Amino acid sequence: MPRRRPGALRAARLPRAARWDLPPARIQGLSARTSLAIARVEGLPDDYHVYLGATDRALRRYRQFLQPEGRRPRYPQDAECACRGCSFDDVRHARDVLDETLARLPPRPRAELARLVADLDATYLRRTLPDPFAAEGQWQSDLWWRRRLAGGREEPLPDPREPLSRRRRR
């Protein structure tokens, strides 16, 4: 009876997400080689916010925020929840994840991802406004994408049919 090799036994014990021999899902706009390098970085258990699929999700969120073409400025919104999934509601967090991934990648995949992110950064700079008070209110004010003017949560307009006595005072 043939015996299984020790490497095959160890690979079978690893969770499916930690196996590097499986081809990862390809990230739109990147080569398969870079996608594999990103999957390897994401598979390392170093950071809470960089997990398998986080870079792809961050790129999609960054593109989605910049998607409506036009000249009107865009205002990043704060996330309502700080958990791993909801934190991507804030586009600045998505850019933080991309920056963390770029710092961990080997040189060639880093260069390819950096070219893609640089194009999105140029659009982000063009579509957002600088915040003159960012150094006072932000906890990461040294990052340039955190020094852009953010919008507050929009409150619904009051119903004009509602009596003035019942409307909330402003």
Side-chain angles (χ1 to χ4, degrees):
M1 177 169 182
R3 157 188 129 121
R4 291 177 71 185
R5 295 182 174 207
L9 291 172
R10 283 191 300 272
R13 279 189 294 171
L14 286 175
R16 186 168 177 85
R19 294 186 195 172
W20 292 352
D21 57 343
L22 299 174
R26 186 119 179 248
I27 298 174
Q28 181 184 2
L30 297 175
S31 67
R33 185 180 211 166
T34 301
S35 296
L36 179 63
I38 290 171
R40 287 180 177 166
V41 166
E42 290 173 344
L44 300 174
D46 291 348
D47 192 3
Y48 176 75
H49 292 291
V50 179
Y51 55 89
L52 288 172
T55 306
D56 184 38
R57 189 170 184 185
L59 279 171
R60 288 178 190 272
R61 175 64 181 122
Y62 205 22
R63 286 183 186 124
Q64 177 192 10
F65 177 75
L66 301 171
Q67 186 61 38
E69 296 295 328
R71 302 186 73 182
R72 299 188 80 179
R74 306 282 297 158
Y75 300 99
Q77 300 289 327
D78 292 327
E80 295 199 15
C81 179
C83 70
R84 285 167 106 169
C86 297
S87 59
F88 281 100
D89 292 344
D90 186 1
V91 73
R92 295 167 297 184
H93 172 73
R95 183 58 178 87
D96 290 339
V97 169
L98 291 173
D99 189 50
E100 187 66 33
T101 304
L102 279 168
R104 296 178 180 187
L105 281 174
R108 284 190 181 179
R110 181 186 315 135
E112 185 177 349
L113 180 60
R115 281 191 298 271
L116 182 65
V117 171
D119 291 340
L120 295 171
D121 286 345
T123 307
Y124 184 80
L125 271 172
R126 191 173 60 249
R127 298 284 310 273
T128 57
L129 301 172
D131 186 3
F133 303 109
E136 299 167 6
Q138 289 284 334
W139 61 278
Q140 285 183 326
S141 61
D142 57 328
L143 303 172
W144 67 265
W145 57 89
R146 293 269 179 192
R147 292 191 308 260
R148 307 306 285 177
L149 193 61
R153 290 280 168 203
E154 294 181 10
E155 297 182 24
L157 294 174
D159 187 8
R161 295 171 291 175
E162 187 177 2
L164 287 175
S165 60
R166 297 189 70 198
R167 288 188 195 175
R168 193 172 61 165
R169 291 187 179 206
R170 297 185 190 258

